[in-house]
Amino acid sequence: DPLTVLQRFPALVRRDGRITDKDGISPVAFAAPVGSYRIALLHRNHLGVISAAPIALGSSATTWDIRTTATALFGTTPTNVNGSTRLLWPGDGNSNGTVKYTGASNDRDPSLSAIGGSVPTSVVTGIYSPLDINLDGQLRYTGIGNDRDIILQSVGGSVPTAVRVEQLP
């Protein structure tokens, strides 16, 4: 049942896209009985994905590589595709399962509030926050390397009222 969560694991998403245990090296290990399970990947400010069908887990290591378009995922456009590589959709700064640039519960306005709200050129540095959409350790609303533009790109780039919805059952 894709709606039942059997286990959760905190893990690291490395810059090369690999997911490891918290030590940054070891694979993530599930202590589940041998069987077939749907696997979901959730990240602090990206839209999550889940396997389209159950994946067989046994006593030996199983690889689930969502970076390749050959891996079946649930939903319509669950990831962004750059060339032949899949990428999670960034921009869910408020962790509500959508990426919105404008309107109620958008992901853009909390970024402006977090830097002080009145001076959009302010920058907050040395921060670990879901509002840090580009994961550079800074909250930046305007200028080069800002977090706001990524939200607009995730919803399509040209229609700021568009919404990107997480593709989880």
Side-chain angles (χ1 to χ4, degrees), residues 14 28 38 45 52 54 57 59 67 75 78 85 90 93 104-105 117 121 141 158:
R14 296 170 40 122
V28 176
R38 288 196 185 226
N45 60 10
L57 299 180
S59 58
R67 295 174 297 173
T85 303
S105 299
T121 56
Y141 189 77
S158 60

Side-chain angles (χ1 to χ4, degrees), residues 111-133:
S111 295
L112 182 58
S113 296
I115 64 165
S118 60
V119 181
T121 56
S122 295
V123 178
V124 176
T125 61
I127 192 163
Y128 182 84
S129 168
L131 299 175
D132 176 16
I133 304 300

